[in-house]
Structures are given as C-alpha cells and as structure tokens.
Amino acid sequence: MAHLIPPFTRATAQQKVKIAQALWNTKDPVRVARAYTPDSVWRNRDSFVQGTAEIERFLAAKWAAERDYVLRKELFAFGDNRIAVQFWYEWRNAAGQWHRTYGLEHWTFAADGAMAKRQMSGNDVPIAPEERWFNEGVDVDAVEIGPSHW
C-alpha cells in the first residue's frame, strides 16, 4: 500500500481512518505518536497537547486509565488535507466500571501525510459488562499497519 498523502480521495481517506484505528488499538504511545508531525497540535476534550513528547505522555496516561481499550473509527467526511471521523470505544476504569466513549475527531494533515492537527470531542457513557459491543476476540476491522502506511 502506498503512503497515504493529501489530497485524499474517498478510498484513501477510508484507508487512513482504518490505519489510524489499527494504530490506536496497539495502545503503543511511541508508535502512535510517530503518525503525527513533531509539532502536532491536539485538543482532546479539555486537554491541549503539542508535540511528540506531550502526545506520548498523554497517550501513556490515557491507556493506563482506560483499561482494555478497544476502538472503532468510521469516516465521516473528508476534503483535500482533512478528514473527520466518528468513533466509539470501550474501556474500563480502575474500579472495573465499563464505559463506551462516543465522539468526533477532525484531522488536518501535512503534505507528507503526518497529522498536524487533531481535535477530539467525546462523551463517556457507563455501561454494564453485558452491554459491551467489543468482547474478547472481536476483530475490529483489523488491518495490517506498517511504517509507510500513515
């Protein structure tokens, strides 16, 4: 698969979304942070993050708190160097309470295909274990990701 760079088509935007989904499901802050420009700017709910080191710290703390995290992203809209996604993910907190988070993200990409800006809004809903959508062994649209895909 070729490196996915703007301007995006429906097909390349869809590929970019599914690769991002697979990458985030690794829960590897260092690997995920490499998909962003060194000076990438984020708004994640009420947190503002800039640069690779801050992204790595943010993600490490996120996945330490959001245990058993499983994410699904879907293409919402796209244009030239921008992609919007809707997403939902499930996780449990330290007390064992399961949650499903629903939200939207708006991404802006640099010419090389790395993400320069990410804005996320999300809402957490407590759920009972039997309400979970993502159970052990569920394949969340698995795709193979490599260094040249992002």
Side-chain angles (χ1 to χ4, degrees):
M1 182 185 310
H3 192 62
L4 300 171
I5 59 173
F8 297 113
T9 64
R10 176 169 295 284
T12 59
Q14 179 66 28
Q15 288 175 318
K16 197 76 154 174
V17 169
K18 289 305 174 180
I19 290 167
Q21 173 185 291
L23 187 60
W24 276 65
N25 277 324
T26 69
K27 298 176 283 293
D28 180 341
V30 174
R31 190 171 180 193
V32 172
R34 287 194 310 243
Y36 299 87
T37 61
D39 60 349
S40 186
V41 177
W42 286 20
R43 181 189 56 78
N44 196 95
R45 301 177 196 237
D46 61 351
S47 296
F48 295 85
V49 179
Q50 183 168 4
T52 304
E54 286 186 27
I55 290 169
E56 288 177 17
R57 282 192 296 274
F58 176 88
L59 292 173
K62 171 187 177 59
W63 288 319
E66 295 178 352
R67 300 167 182 198
D68 299 317
Y69 172 98
V70 179
L71 166 73
R72 171 85 182 233
K73 291 182 184 280
E74 294 293 336
L75 179 64
F76 187 77
F78 71 96
D80 295 332
N81 69 333
R82 296 179 183 200
I83 296 175
V85 299
Q86 59 185 355
F87 67 86
W88 50 97
Y89 65 89
E90 293 177 351
W91 56 281
R92 64 179 177 83
N93 63 19
Q97 172 63 55
W98 281 97
H99 293 83
R100 187 173 304 117
T101 299
Y102 299 90
L104 298 169
E105 292 179 329
H106 181 255
W107 304 337
T108 304
F109 293 89
D112 68 355
M115 194 182 301
K117 185 176 182 182
R118 175 183 172 267
Q119 295 190 53
M120 179 275 217
S121 296
N123 299 293
D124 303 323
V125 178
I127 60 173
E130 60 272 12
E131 295 176 292
R132 292 183 57 220
W133 294 341
F134 306 121
N135 293 303
E136 189 69 32
V138 170
D139 182 7
V140 185
D141 291 335
V143 296
E144 186 177 323
I145 53 176
S148 65
H149 288 157
W150 190 256

